[in-house]
Amino acid sequence: MRRFFTLVDVLLVLLLFSEAPWAVWGSPHCDQSSSGVIRPHSVAITEFGAVGDGVTLNTKAFQNAIFYLNSFADKGGAQLFVPAGQWLTGSFDLISHLTLWLDKDAAILGSMNSNDWPVIDPLPSYGRGRELPGRRHRSLIYGCNLTDVIITGDNGTIDGQGSIWWDWFQKKTLNYTRPHLVEFINSTGVVISNVTFLNSPFWTIHPVYCSQVIVQNVTILAPLDSPNTDGIDPDSSNDVCIEDCYISTGDDLIAIKSGWDEYGISYARPSTNIIIRRLVGKTHSSAGIAIGSEMSGGVSEVHAESLQFFNSKTGIRIKTSPGRGGYVRNIYISDMNLVDVKIAIRFTGQYGEHPDEFYDPTALPVIENITVKDVMGENIKFAGLLEGIEGDNFVNICLSNITLNVTSESPWNCSYIHGYSDLVSPEACEPLGERIYPGHVLDCYHLPTHLWSMSKRKKGSWFLSW
């Protein structure tokens, strides 16, 4: 049995985040945090019979408290306060105009009995459970069709106690797909801040079909060998801001998604306008930021800056496959520092994994306008493994101002891609060999033309300085 992360582990990962300015583009939806909203009505979970001993099941107390607070939804909303204690519970729903506030010594614990996690229908953009055909378990904290909902506090803890789920998954004894820790569906105005999330059974925070989502100042931890414990997965959602987070899990720290093969193509809701900044973390098996592999509804306008990944497999990854359809375009990654990372940048065009035999293998994804700039890396094995799809090249891939201390004698492996590069060391692969400046600036997404003058100044003095 893997050990659980505890509050002691949380203290060990408190970091000083860099304060690099976010001036490349505007980010109005990052400035709309309402975690400090004062609700006119507030109750404590203890008023509904909850017992914080870590043993008593409090599902009914949470459900009854939220049912009561629903009467204040049209009166300025309400707050449910969770005081210090260990509050064991099964899955429960949130409501609109609600703040769930956790005291610094409060821990909401997920039940280790699967019967306390109801089974619900699959998402229409997936057509089935992500792991198994059919239905899926509902998340511990769940919301559907909500407006103005907040999970916050004084860095309290929400612990999924996922170890039992990981064992069931690996022993193949599950009947339904594992639950997320927090999931919001078709909701607007979601804020998650100042909370620590531990040991999710599956993906940790999953906003799907949502808009105006802010995730700020959260810590997400799961053992590095725990299966599929993604950190934050915006899915067919728009206007999402993720900032000032530390994530260490068994899968992608952030994975941007938009539906799976024919179901995602049919549902046709993209993920767009996503900002990620000041993210720190590690993952032994996956990527710091991934797009896909479920991207059939499209992913665009993703801007990420001030990233620090260490002791990880991959820095940035795009995952797709024939049959996905959809697109990934207008992606901008800047100011990334990598230490002890196996692969700095990876594109995978043959990821596979299909929901059923009805997908269309001729539905090819469009991957274009990807810019990665201002990257430093130490003890990197491969600079890039960039594999597109034969007959479906990934195009307008632009790399600028990248310096990697690479240990492999073959730092780049590129196929079925095309793009441009400047100030890249070790020198980029042949399909990216054409220079960006001056002839291809307009082919590169969000690359300012004023950098051409900087490129000329540095041309004669570009070298490794480790």
Side-chain angles (χ1 to χ4, degrees):
M1 183 76 71
R2 299 173 181 82
R3 72 178 181 90
F4 282 9
F5 278 101
T6 67
L7 292 179
V8 174
D9 299 288
V10 176
L11 295 175
L12 295 176
V13 299
L14 293 177
L15 299 175
L16 179 64
F17 289 96
S18 63
E19 296 185 357
W22 190 252
V24 177
W25 57 84
S27 52
H29 55 286
C30 284
D31 302 324
Q32 296 176 359
S33 175
S34 56
S35 60
V37 166
I38 298 176
R39 306 291 192 185
H41 306 278
S42 180
V43 297
I45 190 63
T46 51
E47 297 176 47
F48 296 84
V51 179
D53 59 3
V55 177
T56 304
L57 189 67
N58 296 294
T59 311
K60 285 294 183 184
F62 277 101
Q63 291 172 341
N64 290 340
I66 290 170
F67 179 81
Y68 168 76
L69 292 175
N70 196 39
S71 62
F72 300 103
D74 59 350
K75 302 177 180 66
Q79 174 177 284
L80 177 58
F81 175 67
V82 182
Q86 305 283 309
W87 308 95
L88 183 69
T89 182
S91 174
F92 62 90
D93 292 77
L94 300 185
I95 57 174
S96 293
H97 310 297
L98 176 76
T99 297
L100 178 65
W101 180 280
L102 280 72
D103 180 81
K104 65 182 177 65
D105 294 318
I108 295 176
L109 306 179
S111 170
M112 299 179 75
N113 183 340
S114 63
N115 292 328
D116 295 325
W117 305 67
V119 175
I120 60 175
D121 288 336
L123 294 167
S125 58
Y126 283 73
R128 47 160 277 183
R130 182 58 184 86
E131 298 177 306
L132 295 168
R135 306 177 81 199
R136 62 195 186 104
H137 285 279
R138 196 174 76 171
S139 61
L140 182 67
I141 298 177
Y142 178 81
C144 185
N145 300 321
L146 304 184
T147 300
D148 175 27
V149 60
I150 300 168
I151 301 174
T152 189
D154 192 16
N155 202 35
T157 300
I158 299 173
D159 187 344
Q161 302 199 107
S163 178
I164 189 70
W165 292 95
W166 309 330
D167 287 345
W168 289 334
F169 169 73
Q170 292 176 329
K171 292 176 181 176
K172 301 185 186 303
T173 58
L174 288 167
N175 294 317
Y176 306 101
T177 291
R178 286 173 288 161
H180 309 302
L181 193 51
V182 176
E183 182 177 65
F184 290 101
I185 301 176
N186 196 35
S187 297
T188 301
V190 175
V191 177
I192 302 173
S193 66
N194 303 314
V195 178
T196 294
F197 297 89
L198 306 179
N199 306 308
S200 177
F202 196 37
W203 306 343
T204 305
I205 298 174
H206 185 225
V208 58
Y209 320 142
C210 290
S211 61
Q212 299 173 29
V213 177
I214 296 175
V215 183
Q216 294 173 324
N217 299 306
V218 304
T219 298
I220 301 175
L221 301 176
L224 293 170
D225 62 347
S226 56
N228 312 112
T229 50
D230 298 22
I232 305 168
D233 288 6
D235 197 340
S236 293
S237 293
N238 61 279
D239 298 329
V240 177
C241 176
I242 302 168
E243 58 184 6
D244 299 310
C245 295
Y246 178 88
I247 306 175
S248 174
T249 65
D251 210 309
D252 298 317
L253 307 186
I254 293 176
I256 302 168
K257 303 174 181 291
S258 66
W260 198 10
D261 285 6
E262 70 269 28
Y263 302 104
I265 294 171
S266 175
Y267 198 78
R269 174 151 182 182
S271 281
T272 189
N273 294 337
I274 296 176
I275 289 177
I276 303 165
R277 57 191 184 187
R278 298 185 299 277
L279 169 68
V280 179
K282 64 178 177 178
T283 168
H284 283 180
S285 63
S286 300
I289 296 177
I291 299 176
S293 73
E294 309 90 333
M295 38 61 65
S296 301
V299 176
S300 69
E301 315 305 330
V302 176
H303 291 187
E305 184 181 78
S306 299
L307 313 171
Q308 300 179 43
F309 305 132
F310 61 97
N311 297 336
S312 296
K313 184 173 182 180
T314 306
I316 300 296
R317 189 175 187 188
I318 295 175
K319 302 180 282 188
T320 187
S321 189
R324 289 289 192 270
Y327 56 84
V328 175
R329 64 166 63 102
N330 297 353
I331 311 299
Y332 180 87
I333 310 293
S334 176
D335 186 17
M336 178 168 65
N337 285 282
L338 306 173
V339 177
D340 299 326
V341 172
K342 183 177 179 181
I343 307 165
I345 307 167
R346 186 172 189 183
F347 299 165
T348 304
Q350 296 285 349
Y351 192 81
E353 294 191 0
H354 302 286
D356 51 41
E357 70 275 21
F358 302 113
Y359 76 95
D360 178 4
T362 67
L364 299 178
V366 175
I367 313 297
E368 62 184 3
N369 304 342
I370 315 295
T371 294
V372 181
K373 66 181 286 285
D374 299 340
V375 180
M376 300 290 286
E378 184 174 4
N379 194 25
I380 310 300
K381 185 171 184 181
F382 298 106
L385 301 181
L386 309 181
E387 304 162 355
I389 299 172
E390 185 175 4
D392 183 35
N393 282 7
F394 300 178
V395 298
N396 290 347
I397 312 301
C398 297
L399 308 181
S400 175
N401 194 27
I402 296 175
T403 306
L404 303 172
N405 180 2
V406 173
T407 61
S408 173
E409 294 182 358
S410 302
W412 296 91
N413 187 336
C414 304
S415 59
Y416 310 117
I417 68 166
H418 184 265
Y420 315 98
S421 63
D422 261 315
L423 305 177
V424 175
S425 178
E427 185 176 351
C429 54
E430 188 277 332
L432 303 178
E434 291 185 67
R435 297 204 51 200
I436 295 172
Y437 301 100
H440 295 290
V441 176
L442 298 181
D443 297 317
C444 294
Y445 176 68
H446 209 81
L447 201 55
T449 56
H450 75 266
L451 292 180
W452 166 232
S453 60
M454 182 186 74
S455 172
K456 289 192 293 184
R457 289 196 302 270
K458 290 185 177 181
K459 182 178 179 181
S461 59
W462 187 250
F463 60 92
L464 287 173
S465 57
W466 300 105

